[in-house]
Amino acid sequence: LPTLQFKALSPLTDESLAAFLRGPKANGRGTAPNVRAWGARQFAVGAVFGFAAISGEVAAYQAALVALLARCGGDVLQNLLDGCMWKVALFLGVEGVAGALMYVSAN
């Protein structure tokens, strides 16, 4: 399937807040290779948490936390590859809380 054409933007080279928040990116500019899958990770994690909320089962909540850890793990890996270390620290903090919740719920 063809993807939409995007206007190539100039890189954020200044010291603005937008440049800091975006962080360095290793991928090319002006393209969006995952445009069709954008939002799929958010939906997948939300669907698992939604099922857990409906069922109320401890195992469903544990599965939802595993999905959250996998999602955060992918984000950590991507930001490590991009070299954006402040985002890595943020995601690892979230994973620590989710891992602790999973450990407490399993025991």
Side-chain angles (χ1 to χ4, degrees):
L1 295 173
T3 59
L4 295 176
Q5 296 297 319
F6 290 88
K7 178 183 171 188
L9 302 173
S10 61
L12 297 172
T13 57
D14 58 357
E15 297 297 322
S16 68
L17 180 62
F20 172 74
L21 291 177
R22 184 175 190 276
K25 294 291 181 187
N27 55 349
R29 299 193 54 83
T31 59
N34 65 341
V35 70
R36 289 185 299 265
W38 195 58
R41 295 178 303 156
Q42 294 86 343
F43 178 77
V45 172
V48 178
F49 272 100
F51 177 77
I54 291 170
S55 71
E57 296 289 327
V58 173
Y61 282 105
Q62 289 171 341
L65 285 172
V66 167
L68 179 64
L69 288 173
R71 158 89 196 270
C72 288
D75 290 334
V76 166
L77 179 63
Q78 181 61 48
N79 285 302
L80 276 173
L81 294 173
D82 287 340
C84 195
M85 295 306 163
W86 75 268
K87 289 182 183 178
V88 171
L90 178 72
F91 283 120
L92 286 178
V94 171
E95 281 206 51
V97 171
L101 288 173
M102 200 163 94
Y103 177 77
V104 169
S105 69
N107 293 325

